Amino acid sequence: MTKLTIIQIFKSINTRNLQKFFSLSVLILLILASALAFNTDPALAQESANLNSFNPQAILRDSLQWIDSLGALGAIAFIALYIIASVAFFPGSILTLGAGVIFGAVWGSLYVFIGATLGATAAFLVGRYLARGWVARKIADNKKFAAIDQAVGREGLKIVLLTRLSPIFPFNLLNYAFGITGVSLKDYFIGSVGMIPGTIMYVYIGSLAGNLAMIGTEAQPTNPTLQWAIRILGLIATVAVTVYVTRIARKALEEEL
């Protein structure tokens, strides 16, 4: 995806793209409506999906293909989809990998981070103001969440940051769980920067998959051997840094809890 400025993006929007965008918006609303209709308990979304032949993974993959055809509007549509997927307990891994395929490593990481942060914040607010009772019941018997609740009272920002760096808790449920703790919205929002290492790693993997698909096509690089060597080295470095940071964060989190 080219580096378009905001003005260039809006200039490139035509009637056809607007129609596609509105159609995608309808699809996103249908996704959310289906989640509510088929899953009264979002934490059991995967099990219910199998029972009702409802496949959120397939819907997300189809949505990514559609987003890829939207051109300049694709970034906006992707972020909107990621926000709703986070609130509806849909698997974010598909979207994160897909961002690498569609937008590349750099822009894909940026769009995923924006979408994941806004989606996590939306779930946090829902957990705090709209579904507080449900969330409290859901994590009532979870000792780890209870420990987090106590630790947040001492150092809210630090705990949020460490849990983001060390993904030992389910991402979607954790978003709601933080809503019933004493952490402030500001600390919660800032703590989202802890998602950056994992985001970059998965988006990078997705971008490699997209580059692999170009082999044998006209879009294949002129010097594929050198470029692939650089990409593989980049992947190794990215994974190594992410694993290292995750281990440090996990150890620090265990000490805090």
Side-chain angles (χ1 to χ4, degrees):
M1 187 173 184
T2 59
K3 299 179 181 179
L4 296 175
T5 64
I6 298 297
I7 295 177
Q8 289 173 324
I9 288 177
F10 280 100
K11 284 184 177 179
S12 66
I13 298 174
N14 53 34
T15 303
R16 184 178 179 181
N17 280 339
L18 283 174
Q19 291 175 344
K20 289 181 178 180
F21 179 72
F22 287 130
S23 298
L24 181 62
S25 299
V26 173
L27 176 62
I28 291 173
L29 291 176
L30 288 175
I31 291 174
L32 183 58
S34 298
L36 295 175
F38 287 96
N39 301 289
T40 55
D41 185 348
L44 302 178
Q46 184 61 47
E47 179 181 352
S48 298
N50 294 332
L51 294 175
N52 295 281
S53 299
F54 176 67
N55 193 336
Q57 290 90 343
I59 293 177
L60 293 178
R61 286 194 295 268
D62 292 341
S63 299
L64 286 171
Q65 292 179 357
W66 203 348
I67 286 172
D68 193 23
S69 70
L70 291 178
L73 283 173
I76 299 173
F78 176 82
I79 292 172
L81 178 62
Y82 211 110
I83 293 170
I84 293 180
S86 298
V87 175
F89 281 80
F90 281 9
S93 57
I94 295 176
L95 294 177
T96 304
L97 292 169
V101 176
I102 297 174
F103 304 111
V106 176
W107 290 102
S109 296
L110 177 62
Y111 299 148
V112 168
F113 177 69
I114 293 173
T117 300
L118 295 178
T121 302
F124 173 88
L125 294 174
V126 171
R128 173 155 293 184
Y129 298 109
L130 298 179
R132 192 178 186 90
W134 176 84
V135 176
R137 291 192 298 272
K138 191 63 185 175
I139 65 174
D141 299 326
N142 192 307
K143 295 182 179 179
K144 289 184 178 180
F145 281 121
I148 286 179
D149 190 13
Q150 295 177 1
V152 161
R154 300 191 303 269
E155 296 182 272
L157 175 58
K158 182 178 180 180
I159 297 302
V160 174
L161 182 61
L162 289 175
T163 55
R164 295 309 192 192
L165 288 170
S166 177
I168 59 177
F169 300 98
F171 174 75
N172 289 331
L173 183 57
L174 185 62
N175 296 333
Y176 284 93
F178 270 123
I180 66 171
T181 67
V183 66
S184 67
L185 176 60
K186 177 183 176 181
D187 286 347
Y188 177 81
F189 188 82
I190 296 175
S192 296
V193 300
M195 294 187 288
I196 292 178
T199 294
I200 294 176
M201 183 182 72
Y202 283 105
V203 173
Y204 196 97
I205 293 173
S207 69
L208 289 183
N211 291 326
L212 185 63
M214 291 192 300
I215 293 180
T217 67
E218 295 181 357
Q220 179 177 341
T222 55
N223 193 346
T225 302
L226 177 60
Q227 292 198 20
W228 271 104
I230 295 174
R231 287 166 182 159
I232 291 174
L233 288 175
L235 175 62
I236 294 173
T238 302
V239 173
V241 171
T242 303
V243 171
Y244 178 71
V245 170
T246 299
R247 287 181 177 178
I248 293 177
R250 181 173 299 178
K251 183 178 179 180
L253 184 61
E254 290 174 352
E255 292 176 354
E256 290 291 334
L257 302 182

